[in-house]
Amino acid sequence: MTGPRVKRLCSRTACKSGAVATLTYVYADQTAVLGPLATYAEPHTYDLCADHTTRLTAPRGWDVVRLAIDLSEPEPTPDDLLALADAVRAAAAPPPAPDVPPTEAGRPVLTVLRGLDSSR
C-alpha cells in the first residue's frame, strides 16, 4: 500500500514554500536544466518553489535551459485522498484475533497437519 503523496518543499535554505520545479546540473556541459517537478526526489537534483525558479541564475559561463513549467503548486489528486482514507481505515481496524487452539471441555484437542515433513 502506498501512502499519500508528501508535499516536497523548496531545497533553498529556510524556504518553506512548496516545490514546483526541479533543477539539475549537467557538469560536463556546464548547463543547468530547470524543468517540471520530478516525480521522485532524486539525489543531486534540487526542488525549487515558484519564487526561486523565476530568480534562478547559473554560475558564470554556464547555460540555463528552462523547460515549460507550471508554476502553480500541485493539487492533491483523488488517488491521494483514497490512499489517505485507506491508511485511516487500516489504523482504525481492530487487531486480528490470536490463533487459539480448539478445546474440548477445557482440554486441548490434537490437530493433524497435512503436508509437514515427518523426517525432522
Side-chain angles (χ1 to χ4, degrees):
M1 178 170 95
T2 61
R5 183 175 54 209
V6 176
K7 179 179 174 181
R8 291 181 0 219
L9 299 178
C10 183
S11 296
R12 296 295 302 257
T13 305
C15 182
K16 301 297 181 199
S17 298
V20 296
T22 298
L23 172 65
T24 306
Y25 288 109
V26 182
Y27 293 95
D29 298 332
Q30 291 187 331
T31 304
V33 180
L34 188 61
L37 187 62
T39 306
Y40 300 101
E42 297 283 340
H44 311 294
T45 63
Y46 305 90
D47 294 335
L48 299 177
C49 65
D51 185 41
H52 287 116
T53 296
T54 57
R55 297 187 305 148
L56 174 78
T57 60
R60 190 173 294 145
W62 283 52
D63 294 319
V64 178
V65 175
R66 294 177 188 267
L67 303 175
I69 302 169
D70 177 12
L71 295 180
S72 62
E73 289 190 34
E75 295 292 323
T77 65
D79 290 341
D80 293 334
L81 182 59
L82 290 174
L84 181 59
D86 289 342
V88 169
R89 277 190 215 103
D99 291 335
V100 178
T103 60
E104 193 174 289
R107 296 176 52 195
V109 176
L110 292 178
T111 305
V112 176
L113 300 176
R114 305 266 183 226
L116 293 179
D117 186 8
S118 60
S119 63
R120 290 188 197 174

